[in-house]
Amino acid sequence: MFHIGMTQWIVGDEPLEVSCARLKNCGYDGIELAAQPYHLDAGACKRLLDKYGLDCRSLCGIFDESRDLTADKEAGERAVQYIRDSVDFAVKVGAKIMIVVPSPVGRCVKPEGISMDSLMENAVHNVRKAADYAKEKGVTLAIEAINRYETYFINTLVKGMDFVKAVNHPAVGMMADLFHMNIEETSLVDSLYRIRDKLVHVHIADNTREAAGMGQIDFKEVLRALQTMGYTGSLTMEFMYRLADPYSAVEISTQTGLMDRYAKQAIDYIRMTEESIRTLENEEETR
């Protein structure tokens, strides 16, 4: 069975303890905290995790316009320092992975007056510098490719893999987000196999960005592929409200009932899919 978590930043203004209680009640293994080292108390977070028997395997980096890894000089260094500070937070809560988006989420058009080669060079330099610090602390930076309606920069897993190869650092890997992949990839399974050697984290949402099983993604083939390639990381639920700007979710007054339903739907559907895969494999072995 896969380790299953749920990301925390999607629930709006809900207190962390309410989120932890929900996940415990639904049978989750862990929670993915937002990388907010300037706003969250790591000690308080760890005490809540211990209270509810949850772990934190990953942090979700928040890369808005103030944290631009494609920038040079002071602007780029600000993004690097944010990652360093988040890595320190990760160590305190036990997380081994931090998700990194190399360009600001919501910037869908390339900035004028600077070439794509220069933007790529800046991002590679900045991520490599941040990764030096992450490696010292035992944390891996997981590069996320997000869809063309949220960034102009890295949209597909192949482009993400090319970026990871350019960074060429042992503390930098790839993550896969099924919602973004559903928009950008011609085959979910084939694209996963292309990054299998660097895959360290997976986000789960259906094609509508709702909970797994509420849309059209074939999770059976996805989970079977992950199992076949030996993926041992977490499956982290990242369903969301219907928002054009995903980061605006943190400002929403939480719809507790909806989040309760989505959390239960997501884990029940994934566990059911795992069971169906096991049944199928048993049948194949007895033929």
Side-chain angles (χ1 to χ4, degrees):
M1 292 175 64
F2 288 105
H3 175 282
I4 294 183
M6 177 176 154
T7 198
Q8 167 257 347
W9 69 272
I10 61 175
V11 297
D13 61 0
E14 180 175 273
L16 180 58
E17 183 157 14
V18 175
S19 299
C20 288
R22 171 189 299 117
L23 299 188
K24 177 67 173 178
N25 292 337
C26 290
Y28 281 76
D29 302 303
I31 188 168
E32 178 178 274
L33 297 172
Q36 295 283 27
Y38 316 123
H39 304 293
L40 294 176
D41 182 307
C45 291
K46 188 65 171 67
R47 287 190 292 274
L48 280 175
L49 294 175
D50 292 343
K51 177 180 177 179
Y52 288 94
L54 301 170
D55 62 14
C56 177
R57 289 194 173 187
S58 56
L59 299 184
C60 186
I62 307 298
F63 289 89
D64 55 21
E65 286 288 348
S66 70
R67 297 160 184 163
D68 181 5
L69 289 161
T70 66
D72 60 3
K73 301 177 182 177
E74 293 180 8
E77 181 56 36
R78 185 166 56 245
V80 172
Q81 189 58 50
Y82 163 69
I83 295 177
R84 292 190 186 115
D85 293 338
S86 297
V87 165
D88 288 340
F89 182 91
V91 171
K92 292 174 183 177
V93 298
K96 296 297 185 182
I97 291 170
M98 178 183 172
I99 298 167
V100 171
V101 181
S103 58
V105 175
R107 183 190 291 175
C108 299
V109 178
K110 183 183 79 65
E112 294 183 4
I114 183 168
S115 70
M116 185 64 81
D117 286 345
S118 294
L119 292 165
M120 183 64 69
E121 183 179 337
N122 291 340
V124 167
H125 171 77
N126 288 327
V127 170
R128 188 178 292 147
K129 185 161 34 169
D132 285 340
Y133 187 79
K135 183 175 183 294
E136 292 177 9
K137 302 293 184 176
V139 174
T140 297
L141 306 183
I143 302 301
E144 180 175 15
I146 63 177
N147 74 77
R148 73 192 76 177
Y149 307 110
E150 294 182 35
T151 186
Y152 70 94
F153 196 58
I154 293 176
N155 306 122
T156 66
L157 295 190
V158 168
K159 289 182 178 178
M161 192 67 165
D162 288 343
F163 180 81
V164 168
K165 289 178 179 177
V167 175
N168 190 27
H169 197 289
V172 178
M174 278 289 297
M175 74 158 288
D177 184 306
L178 292 180
F179 169 73
H180 297 300
M181 290 167 61
N182 179 72
I183 296 172
E184 298 293 346
E185 309 292 344
T186 55
S187 167
L188 299 184
V189 168
D190 289 349
S191 62
L192 286 171
Y193 272 103
R194 290 189 188 103
I195 66 166
R196 62 185 299 179
D197 292 338
K198 288 290 186 178
L199 181 63
V200 297
H201 195 54
V202 175
H203 270 175
I204 297 288
D206 221 316
N207 67 293
T208 57
R209 218 169 197 174
E210 294 172 295
M214 298 181 71
Q216 299 178 19
I217 290 179
D218 186 342
F219 283 94
K220 183 180 290 186
E221 70 167 11
V222 169
L223 295 189
R224 198 166 192 189
L226 291 171
Q227 184 181 61
T228 300
M229 66 180 67
Y231 175 73
T232 58
S234 181
L235 303 181
T236 299
M237 308 302 177
E238 198 193 37
F239 44 76
M240 290 186 62
Y241 301 112
R242 293 181 180 272
L243 300 168
D245 172 13
Y247 287 163
S248 64
V250 299
E251 302 170 358
I252 288 178
S253 179
T254 308
Q255 299 178 37
T256 303
L258 178 63
M259 285 296 149
D260 289 344
R261 293 194 300 274
Y262 274 14
K264 187 166 186 355
Q265 159 73 27
I267 192 168
D268 286 353
Y269 188 81
I270 294 300
R271 292 300 189 210
M272 179 186 70
T273 303
E274 286 182 306
E275 183 59 36
S276 68
I277 291 172
R278 281 192 294 272
T279 300
L280 179 61
E281 290 172 343
N282 289 337
E283 291 174 349
E284 290 174 347
E285 288 177 0
T286 57
R287 285 175 188 166

